[in-house]
Amino acid sequence: MGKVLIIGAGGVGGVVTHKCASHPEVFTDICLASRRVEKCDKIAKEIKYPIKTARVDADNTKELVELINKFKPELVINVALPYQDLTIMDACLETGVNYLDTANYEPRNEAKFCYKWQWDYKERFEKRGIMALLGCGFDPGVTNIFCAYALKHYFDKIHFIDIMDCNGGSHGHPFATNFNPEINIREITQRGKYWEKGVWKETEPLSLYKNFDFPKIGKRKMYLLYHEELESLVQNIHGLKRIRFWMTFGEAYLTHLRVLQNVGMTRIDEVDYNGQKIVPLNFLKAVLPDPSSLGATYSGKTNIGCMINGVKKGKNKKIYIYNVCDHAECFKEVNAQAVSYTTGVPAMIGAMLMMKGDWKGAGVFNVEELNPDPFMERLKVDGLPWVIKNVK
Ligand code: NDP
């Protein structure tokens, strides 16, 4: 039904390209563009359906506008880095093209994890008559849609949400991050934060934890983190009393992280090195394994879901909605590990719903503002089936 431009040829970009190519009835023409065209060409070679490739610096709006005007897509899927969200949104505004991403905008020199900058584009997107869909990966993304689906079909009011993200897999490297190391390490080393009774409460990084028995994985220790979907869910799920986000980490991972922090390698400010300015975390990224290379040796599963508590017809009710995804199966299907897969598949589904007009509107939207039903249906057929359990 139309042309799509995918920006970013990393772990997630590879999955989005594979999955879009498996739906030629919707994505008739696909272009994958990134900072290094050879990374796009490598992904294109893995796929039978013809994929166009291009080089673009997504920090540069003028270059983006030129590429968009040349390829003329209906939609741009941004799976580059959060630093590029605003330049890509600017290019979409200038060319009148719809936009989708999986992570909130981040300034380079400060970890913020907030939607403010992108929500500020609402009026401009409305006036231009185009749509921006924010955070359409798994978390944010599917987790928000699980909440919207639960509210629509299972509750009159939702009071408590715990989002729980477990990677029970093993890639065989002493230390690696499952998605872009700069963003991943920023996220984990920031102060913890959750929302309760109308106020945000802060905690020391990784200081709050509890055990949970994850279906198909087993008992794991999960730590409270701040995650960007909390910000939009607090606004969009009315009547909430508390929302928190939890992620599991193994002891070896935490020990490596602690050492890297202690020696200053996770800093995001510039330091002088032999008369040259470098950001230690950028340098660390350059020497860590590329997330898109982890799939070949990955075994085990991920389990990401939401424990939701609320009221239906005057009675208290609790449900658990989750997806389990197997690293090795993802690799067989699209040459990627499950963290890239669970992000790339929802991005493709969001794009498909926008292309088909099932999700439409002018302005800037978080995914829970749209009808969750067609998205939940597509998850089942496109590789991320989910389970809903009543919990006593
Ligand atoms: P990668 O680092 O593997 O890939 C990012 C890609 O973007 C790379 O190919 C990189 O190029 C390219 N890129 C970076 N800067 C530019 C630029 N200026 N112009 C053009 N291309 C550029 O990251 P991932 O694939 O792991 O993650 C992609 C996105 O997905 C991130 O924003 C991440 O935060 C988000 N994410 C969201 C999740 C969710 O559930 N919502 C979960 C996981 C990730 P090069 O190869 O040359 O470095």
Side-chain angles (χ1 to χ4, degrees):
M1 284 186 209
K3 295 180 175 184
V4 66
L5 171 62
I6 302 163
I7 301 180
V12 179
V15 176
V16 176
T17 312
H18 273 268
K19 291 304 249 188
C20 286
S22 69
H23 288 293
E25 74 288 1
V26 177
F27 305 102
T28 51
D29 213 347
I30 302 168
C31 178
L32 173 63
S34 197
R35 182 164 55 186
R36 288 183 281 165
V37 73
E38 55 276 24
K39 288 197 77 175
C40 307
D41 292 337
K42 184 168 172 281
I43 294 168
K45 273 203 193 112
E46 297 168 0
I47 299 171
K48 280 200 193 110
Y49 194 72
I51 308 289
K52 296 187 174 74
T53 60
R55 197 211 71 82
V56 75
D57 175 5
D59 287 312
N60 183 327
T61 302
K62 193 168 159 276
E63 273 192 28
L64 288 162
V65 167
E66 276 168 19
L67 176 63
I68 293 173
N69 281 336
K70 194 167 154 213
F71 182 61
K72 298 195 182 348
E74 268 79 43
L75 171 70
V76 173
I77 302 178
N78 167 17
V79 278
L81 296 181
Y83 314 129
Q84 281 92 45
D85 288 5
L86 302 188
T87 42
I88 300 178
M89 287 176 84
D90 285 334
C92 286
L93 268 176
E94 195 168 330
T95 51
V97 171
N98 294 316
Y99 169 91
L100 178 152
D101 70 27
T102 65
N104 70 277
Y105 168 72
E106 279 287 286
R108 279 180 201 272
N109 56 357
E110 214 181 341
K112 286 284 187 191
F113 293 99
C114 90
Y115 280 117
K116 180 197 170 309
W117 290 281
Q118 290 181 280
W119 285 345
D120 282 350
Y121 277 68
K122 191 170 188 296
E123 228 180 277
R124 279 172 280 166
F125 270 69
E126 278 168 3
K127 278 200 186 130
R128 194 70 164 93
I130 54 172
M131 178 173 181
L133 186 64
L134 308 184
C136 196
F138 206 105
D139 46 342
V142 176
T143 49
N144 306 53
I145 291 163
F146 282 169
C147 296
Y149 187 76
L151 187 57
K152 184 168 177 187
H153 297 288
Y154 288 82
F155 293 96
D156 296 325
K157 272 251 168 346
I158 289 179
H159 291 153
F160 302 103
I161 300 173
D162 280 301
I163 301 169
M164 301 185 292
D165 177 331
C166 173
N167 181 3
S170 164
H171 44 56
H173 295 266
F175 183 79
T177 63
N178 297 297
F179 65 95
N180 182 272
E182 283 179 61
I183 305 303
N184 188 213
I185 289 175
R186 268 178 183 228
E187 185 174 278
I188 292 160
T189 52
Q190 66 176 329
R191 282 174 69 75
K193 196 164 78 168
Y194 65 100
W195 188 88
E196 188 169 41
K197 295 182 188 149
V199 287
W200 290 102
K201 299 191 172 171
E202 288 202 12
T203 60
E204 288 301 315
L206 306 179
S207 59
L208 265 187
Y209 54 85
K210 58 181 181 173
N211 289 311
F212 186 76
D213 196 358
F214 287 92
K216 306 273 181 206
I217 292 177
K219 279 201 181 111
R220 290 287 190 280
K221 199 167 173 180
M222 56 182 193
Y223 295 80
L224 186 136
L225 289 187
Y226 178 68
H227 225 236
E228 68 210 64
E229 63 261 50
L230 303 187
E231 187 185 14
S232 68
L233 286 168
V234 161
Q235 298 218 357
N236 293 322
I237 306 286
H238 303 288
L240 254 190
K241 293 183 178 168
R242 187 185 66 210
I243 181 164
R244 302 180 293 194
F245 182 94
W246 305 86
M247 191 178 273
T248 62
F249 299 104
E251 280 310 315
Y253 180 93
L254 291 177
T255 305
H256 276 86
L257 192 65
R258 211 171 298 125
V259 173
L260 291 168
Q261 271 184 292
N262 286 345
V263 298
M265 282 307 296
T266 61
R267 284 172 57 173
I268 57 174
D269 55 330
E270 286 185 337
V271 299
D272 192 73
Y273 175 73
N274 283 350
Q276 214 186 328
K277 298 275 181 223
I278 65 160
V279 175
L281 186 54
N282 290 160
F283 179 76
L284 179 63
K285 176 196 179 274
V287 293
L288 285 177
D290 187 330
S292 63
S293 72
L294 298 175
T297 53
Y298 231 129
S299 61
K301 298 180 195 320
T302 60
N303 176 325
I304 316 174
C306 302
M307 188 69 77
I308 304 177
N309 215 307
V311 178
K312 180 78 177 176
K313 295 194 173 127
K315 285 198 176 137
N316 285 337
K317 188 176 169 66
K318 189 174 183 181
I319 63 167
Y320 178 34
I321 316 186
Y322 63 90
N323 160 262
V324 174
C325 189
D326 186 282
H327 287 287
E329 279 173 22
C330 298
F331 189 71
K332 251 191 263 159
E333 186 192 330
V334 297
N335 281 345
Q337 33 91 354
V339 177
S340 304
Y341 189 89
T342 53
T343 310
V345 170
M348 180 282 289
I349 295 175
M352 176 188 271
L353 297 180
M354 286 170 75
M355 297 287 268
K356 285 166 63 176
D358 291 335
W359 277 4
K360 61 179 175 212
V364 174
F365 300 86
N366 290 89
V367 290
E368 69 271 22
E369 294 176 83
L370 298 148
N371 179 9
D373 295 349
F375 192 98
M376 293 292 276
E377 281 308 309
R378 289 249 49 112
L379 281 175
K380 285 189 206 156
V381 286
D382 286 308
L384 296 175
W386 39 272
V387 176
I388 297 192
K389 277 186 183 161
N390 281 307
V391 181
K392 292 268 172 267

